[in-house]
Amino acid sequence: MENFRNHTKNIISFSEKTTIFIGENGSGKTNIIEAIYSFAILKPFRSTKREIYIKEEENYSKLTIEANQKTLEIYWEKTPARTVFKKDKIKLKTSEFLKEKEFYAVLFTPDDLNLPFSSPSERRKLLFRVVAPVHREYFESHLKFEKILRQRNKLLQRYAEQQAEKSEFEYWDQEFIKHSQILTQYRKDFLKYINSKIEKYFQEISQNKKKLSINFIPSSENIAEDLEKNFQKDIIIGSTSRGAHRDDFQILINDENLTKKASRGEVRSAILAFKLAERDFIQENKEIKPLLLFDDVFSELDEIHRRSFLKLIKNEQAVINSTETPVFLSEPYYIYEVKNGEVSKIN
């Protein structure tokens, strides 16, 4: 790590099982997790602004990781503003890097506990972070869809001002329908897979027999019909009211929305179960075990639930941030202390 957030330069080795980073809040533990996860989603997960993750008063930030006998590198620069991806020192375009990389990770942060309570857009961002690295078609279709949506919305506004013809919608609508259907189908398939796994993990972590499930809520069952039916409404509001950009999902406990009756412990267990199912999804699709990244995962979990959770990841490579050393760790494990962006090995 070079000039990444509050880290000037650190070289870290990881255990084949569990690596723990201990430190106070604000010490730089989460920055390490974020640096690793950047290689899974090709950007830091907390911001899209390049300046945020380049150390203050520096012009660049560079991350290098050795995984699966490959060397991957991400380089960000303020001036000129650019991002460079490399694999084994060969520069690649974003789509090429995504296709060529053999590194995958599953991330849990305390912010994920807000997922059931947050906006649909936040849940769609999660779907992108998980599905896009696994399915290149989803990644590319998502980028195209965002551009098409912006163009269609501009056309709606121009049409409302009598500066466009109805015939101009034909091309954009065809493209919109195509990519909306692709995104919705991938999301449906992904959540169906998660649904097949999540209850078992939830019951093992929480130590209760409540039913946990996922309810996918597509914006439209027939997007072509809905575009035509909602055309006048869309003109009035100046935006497209149906499509993949409105898809959503719910996490249900005993067939009720998790937000209504679940305890804080049940919410945490549900999200952790989702993450373990996500791990299985990546492994089944890519035949590669993803690295597990857990930021402050043990907060509010008592000893019984900690033990249950650690049992489920005992055969995985995991990186865990904590304010204290957790017990019942799988051997071998490394422990580092983090202070003000400096990392030192304890054992």
Side-chain angles (χ1 to χ4, degrees):
M1 305 169 65
E2 295 182 44
N3 301 329
F4 186 78
R5 293 198 180 267
N6 73 331
H7 292 261
T8 301
K9 188 168 185 178
N10 281 304
I11 299 173
I12 303 168
S13 297
F14 294 85
S15 166
E16 63 187 56
K17 284 294 181 69
T18 307
T19 302
I20 309 290
F21 293 96
I22 307 294
E24 300 296 326
N25 292 331
S27 62
K29 303 191 307 296
T30 300
N31 295 342
I32 298 171
I33 291 277
E34 182 171 35
I36 299 169
Y37 195 57
S38 296
F39 289 95
I41 64 170
L42 311 190
K43 63 180 180 179
F45 65 87
R46 289 184 290 175
S47 175
T48 57
K49 295 181 179 179
R50 183 178 289 102
E51 296 76 13
I52 297 296
Y53 41 88
I54 298 176
K55 188 175 173 65
E56 192 174 349
E57 299 181 358
E58 298 291 345
N59 190 50
Y60 78 94
S61 176
K62 179 182 175 182
L63 301 174
T64 306
I65 192 168
E66 293 181 6
N68 304 316
Q69 290 77 53
K70 304 293 182 182
T71 300
L72 307 177
E73 181 183 313
I74 305 179
Y75 177 90
W76 295 282
E77 192 172 13
K78 289 181 184 176
T79 308
R82 61 175 181 152
T83 301
V84 178
F85 299 104
K86 290 183 180 180
K87 178 183 178 183
D88 294 334
K89 298 185 179 181
I90 298 173
K91 190 183 297 186
L92 299 173
K93 295 179 181 179
T94 306
S95 59
E96 293 172 335
F97 190 83
L98 183 68
K99 181 182 178 181
E100 293 289 328
K101 78 182 183 72
E102 298 173 358
F103 178 82
Y104 297 88
V106 172
L107 172 71
F108 168 87
T109 75
D111 288 343
D112 289 325
L113 300 177
N114 298 322
L115 186 69
F117 309 92
S118 60
S119 66
S121 64
E122 291 300 312
R123 288 186 283 276
R124 287 192 297 272
K125 286 178 185 177
L126 170 70
L127 295 176
F128 179 79
R129 290 204 307 267
V130 178
V131 181
V134 174
H135 294 297
R136 187 182 179 191
E137 184 185 28
Y138 183 91
F139 175 81
E140 294 176 342
S141 194
H142 190 279
L143 296 181
K144 291 175 183 176
F145 180 81
E146 292 293 317
K147 292 178 182 178
I148 293 163
L149 177 62
R150 288 194 294 271
Q151 290 298 325
R152 190 177 192 275
N153 287 344
K154 287 179 182 178
L155 188 57
L156 284 168
Q157 293 160 17
R158 287 178 53 225
Y159 187 84
E161 296 167 357
Q162 297 183 335
Q163 296 178 2
E165 300 294 329
K166 181 72 159 55
S167 59
E168 294 180 54
F169 284 89
E170 184 175 349
Y171 169 78
W172 294 111
D173 282 2
Q174 287 177 352
E175 290 297 295
F176 183 90
I177 291 166
K178 172 186 172 182
H179 292 289
S180 183
Q181 289 174 333
I182 290 172
L183 296 182
T184 295
Q185 188 61 51
Y186 269 111
R187 291 166 179 171
K188 182 179 179 180
D189 292 343
F190 168 70
L191 291 172
K192 181 180 179 181
Y193 181 88
I194 296 297
N195 224 359
S196 71
K197 300 278 187 174
I198 194 170
E199 182 175 286
K200 172 180 174 289
Y201 289 136
F202 172 75
Q203 292 178 353
E204 291 187 42
I205 296 169
S206 65
Q207 297 292 294
N208 73 45
K209 296 299 181 183
K210 289 185 179 179
K211 178 184 177 183
L212 192 75
S213 58
I214 304 291
N215 178 34
F216 179 48
I217 310 171
S219 167
S220 172
E221 297 294 345
N222 189 323
I223 186 60
E225 286 185 7
D226 283 340
L227 281 185
E228 186 64 32
K229 185 171 63 176
N230 289 284
F231 185 68
Q232 293 300 323
K233 172 187 174 182
D234 290 351
I235 292 170
I236 294 170
I237 63 176
S239 63
T240 306
S241 57
R242 294 293 182 93
H245 60 300
R246 306 288 187 185
D247 288 347
D248 195 8
F249 70 92
Q250 296 174 325
I251 302 178
L252 308 179
I253 188 165
N254 286 346
D255 296 323
E256 284 195 77
N257 196 320
L258 193 70
T259 60
K260 293 183 178 180
K261 290 186 177 181
S263 67
R264 289 175 63 86
E266 287 173 333
V267 171
R268 182 173 286 265
S269 295
I271 298 301
L272 289 175
F274 191 103
K275 297 297 178 179
L276 293 176
E278 180 185 326
R279 170 202 62 187
D280 295 348
F281 170 78
I282 294 171
Q283 188 168 337
E284 189 167 309
N285 280 274
K286 306 307 294 187
E287 297 182 347
I288 294 174
K289 275 192 172 185
L291 181 65
L292 305 182
L293 305 171
F294 295 108
D295 188 21
D296 194 22
V297 70
F298 295 119
S299 176
E300 300 180 21
L301 284 182
D302 59 28
E303 184 176 308
I304 293 174
H305 293 94
R306 289 186 186 190
R307 189 193 293 263
S308 299
F309 173 70
L310 286 170
K311 184 179 177 181
L312 289 169
I313 64 169
K314 66 180 181 179
N315 295 320
E316 313 291 332
Q317 186 177 30
V319 177
I320 298 174
N321 285 347
S322 180
T323 55
E324 59 182 2
T325 305
V327 294
F328 314 120
L329 291 176
S330 297
E331 296 279 2
Y333 60 86
Y334 296 167
I335 300 178
Y336 290 90
E337 184 177 32
V338 185
K339 285 185 178 181
N340 300 318
E342 296 295 327
V343 183
S344 55
K345 197 167 185 290
I346 296 175
N347 82 322

